């Protein structure tokens, strides 16, 4: 069974940085689409960033472009979301998600993902 486990969230002041990690276990198939999503209270999850492990191509929501960077380790078993210049409006629960296959269509669309982590809270204070 495949599991995703996020870590790295926590409190931070505005302008600060955090790096979220997403450890993947239970799968040896390396070609996958990994995404980071966030959810505000009372709202649906929104896509923040995604990476296609096969090609390394990335995609970002406009709200985080230039501030967040998604990456993966060389073994493609752990994904990262480096978040810089954090703002109070970035405060949310952050989730990583993955799906395995040869493509990464609609990378920021939540319905396409099959496996989700439990989430990690990011709180940015002003």
């Amino acid at each position: 069974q495949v599991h995703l486990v996020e870590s790295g969230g926590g409190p931070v002041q505005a302008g600060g940085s955090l790096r979220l990690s997403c450890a993947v276990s239970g799968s040896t198939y390396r070609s996958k689409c990994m995404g980071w999503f966030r959810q505000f209270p009372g709202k649906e999850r929104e896509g923040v960033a995604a990476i296609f492990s096969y090609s390394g191509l990335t995609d970002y929501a406009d709200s985080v472009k230039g501030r967040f960077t998604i990456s993966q380790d060389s073994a493609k078993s752990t994904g990262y979301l480096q978040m810089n210049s954090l703002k109070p409006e970035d405060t949310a629960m952050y989730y990583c998600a993955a799906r395995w296959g040869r493509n990464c269509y609609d990378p920021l669309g939540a319905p396409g993902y099959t496996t989700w982590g439990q989430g990690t809270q990011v709180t940015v204070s002003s």
Side-chain angles (χ1 to χ4, degrees), residues 5-121:
V5 179
E6 302 102 331
S7 60
V12 63
Q13 290 192 333
S17 299
L18 283 175
R19 188 175 82 154
L20 305 183
S21 299
C22 178
V24 181
S25 63
S27 172
T28 58
Y29 190 54
R30 293 189 174 185
S31 180
K32 65 180 179 294
C33 188
M34 175 178 280
W36 285 95
F37 295 79
R38 63 187 180 186
Q39 189 167 22
F40 305 109
K43 300 287 184 67
E44 293 187 355
R45 291 179 189 181
E46 63 177 36
V48 173
I51 186 167
F52 185 35
S53 63
Y54 181 78
S55 63
L57 288 177
T58 59
D59 196 12
Y60 296 92
D62 289 343
S63 58
V64 305
K65 281 180 181 176
R67 299 189 298 124
F68 291 11
T69 303
I70 189 170
S71 63
Q72 58 188 354
D73 67 356
S74 59
K76 301 177 183 177
S77 61
T78 302
Y80 304 97
L81 184 68
Q82 178 67 43
M83 305 186 294
N84 297 329
S85 302
L86 282 162
K87 305 174 182 179
E89 51 264 43
D90 293 317
T91 296
M93 184 71 81
Y94 283 73
Y95 298 87
C96 69
R99 63 177 189 256
W100 281 260
R102 294 179 178 271
N103 65 70
C104 196
Y105 296 136
D106 190 21
L108 299 182
Y113 288 84
T114 58
T115 305
W116 292 82
Q118 81 287 352
T120 186
Q121 178 68 37

